[in-house]
Amino acid sequence: MTIQRREFIAALAGGGAAGLAGCSTLTGDDSDAEISGETLTLTTTSSTYNTGLLDELNAPFEDRYGVSVDAVSQGTGQALETARNGDSDVVMVHARSLEDEFMEAGYGVNRRDLMYNDFVVIGGPDDPAGIGGSDDVTEAFTAIADSESPFVSRGDDSGTHTKELEIWDEAGRSADELGEWYQEAGQGMGDVINMANQQGAYTLSDRGTYLDMQDEVDLEIHVQGPIEDGPELLANPYGIVAVNPAVHDNVEYDLAMAYIGFITGPEGQDLIENYTANGEQLFYPEALSEEPNFQQYVPEGWSADGGGNSSDSSDD
């Protein structure tokens, strides 16, 4: 790690790596990569950080390999930008279109599906736009705009913000043309939920962060996501991607791949499945399947023949 990178991580994460434990190596047929004593830099979304899931995942990983994890909470767009600059070893994010751009530009390799939850539209119990129970999120957004009911947007290029802009687009609206009732916070999910609570406003939230905070606010879910039979447009899948060591030779690639292997393996997936807040499951594991989805490793629609969609081939 370069001195500049150390200073960057100290500035973002406040320094203070966790204590190291034990001594371990990764051993394979062709490699014997020492990772004990190293520090993994993970850039990730506020939803995984604020809900406490990362603590649940990182502690056993650190204990097993005798390493430490510096987790830096950022919006998905900023987390990927940090990785583009070589200041992160691995990214855990939730905006597939942005992940695809990251991989297509050569910065990311060995992507894996990790887990999912969904997005929900929340707001005060008075529900001024009358969207409660709607099964069409684009109609709900249209009703909010038509009634000019207060709406707080992340406004931070996060995965949640990316999804919100997609919904406005589906509703035939441009966020740039919305009125004063529409507020861009430029803040993380927890801060935005608190702002919406103070103003009696609507916002789009990932389900996990809302469930983690629901006892602290007066906001209710007005439009459910697909976990509760809501529209598929509100699906919220998470992926994890290693930074390409051929682009940034300072990255801890062996450690990044060990981390990806751990949290997409049986132990990590069990930790995700059993993690709850207020008695509710926050995330649903997606990495293990008897019928793996091979498209997860590459940008969506990529094929070896260079076409936009994969296709079967046969010998002449």
Side-chain angles (χ1 to χ4, degrees):
M1 243 185 237
T2 64
I3 295 299
Q4 292 87 347
R5 180 172 171 181
R6 291 183 189 276
E7 292 173 349
F8 173 84
I9 296 304
L12 282 179
L20 304 180
C23 179
S24 178
T25 61
L26 289 179
T27 303
D29 293 337
D30 301 315
S31 66
D32 186 12
E34 286 280 355
I35 62 174
S36 178
E38 299 292 344
T39 296
L40 176 76
T41 301
L42 164 70
T43 47
T44 186
T45 70
S46 61
S47 58
T48 61
Y49 192 90
N50 292 339
T51 58
L53 175 66
L54 284 185
D55 292 336
E56 192 78 3
L57 291 171
N58 290 349
F61 174 75
E62 291 174 326
D63 288 344
R64 174 173 296 184
Y65 291 108
V67 298
S68 60
V69 179
D70 270 340
V72 181
S73 174
Q74 300 176 309
T76 288
Q78 186 57 50
L80 291 169
E81 184 62 26
T82 298
R84 281 188 183 92
N85 294 333
D87 292 315
S88 172
D89 304 308
V90 63
V91 288
M92 184 192 300
V93 288
H94 65 139
R96 185 62 193 267
S97 62
L98 300 184
E99 296 170 52
D100 287 349
E101 292 174 6
F102 181 71
M103 290 189 290
E104 287 167 349
Y107 292 106
V109 292
N110 296 327
R111 182 194 178 276
R112 290 293 310 276
D113 290 339
L114 176 60
M115 60 188 181
Y116 68 93
N117 62 11
D118 58 2
F119 294 103
V120 292
V121 182
I122 60 176
D126 56 337
D127 188 20
I131 64 172
S134 174
D135 59 3
D136 188 325
V137 68
T138 59
E139 289 184 0
F141 269 41
T142 298
I144 292 170
D146 288 345
S147 63
E148 298 189 348
S149 300
F151 187 100
V152 181
S153 168
R154 288 279 296 268
D156 63 350
D157 196 28
S158 62
T160 305
H161 185 219
T162 300
K163 174 60 66 173
E164 180 215 314
L165 295 179
E166 180 184 349
I167 297 170
W168 284 121
D169 185 62
E170 290 285 334
R173 306 290 179 112
S174 171
D176 294 336
E177 299 174 355
L178 299 176
E180 293 182 358
W181 54 270
Y182 180 81
Q183 178 182 354
E184 290 186 304
Q187 301 291 328
M189 195 72 254
D191 290 333
V192 167
I193 288 176
N194 283 325
M195 291 173 65
N197 186 59
Q198 293 167 3
Q199 299 175 26
Y202 295 102
T203 193
L204 183 72
S205 173
D206 69 283
R207 184 183 296 272
T209 304
Y210 169 72
L211 291 176
D212 189 53
M213 296 181 63
Q214 65 178 340
D215 288 346
E216 305 168 20
V217 296
D218 295 324
L219 303 176
E220 301 176 354
I221 295 177
H222 293 300
V223 182
Q224 294 280 2
I227 287 175
E228 295 292 339
D229 299 321
E232 192 62 31
L233 183 56
L234 292 177
N236 184 26
Y238 288 74
I240 186 164
V241 190
V243 177
N244 188 351
V247 175
H248 293 294
D249 60 9
N250 63 308
V251 299
E252 299 289 349
Y253 179 72
D254 291 325
L255 187 50
M257 291 307 299
Y259 186 76
I260 291 173
F262 176 79
I263 67 172
T264 62
E267 183 176 353
Q269 294 287 283
D270 283 346
L271 289 169
I272 291 169
E273 183 170 23
N274 294 315
Y275 187 71
T276 62
N278 296 314
E280 301 262 11
Q281 183 174 350
L282 302 191
F283 301 94
Y284 296 79
E286 195 176 28
L288 299 178
S289 172
E290 293 182 357
E291 299 180 0
N293 170 25
F294 297 109
Q295 190 68 56
Q296 68 181 299
Y297 304 111
V298 296
E300 287 188 319
W302 182 89
S303 63
D305 61 9
N309 296 304
S310 60
S311 59
D312 294 333
S313 61
S314 58
D315 295 331
D316 292 335

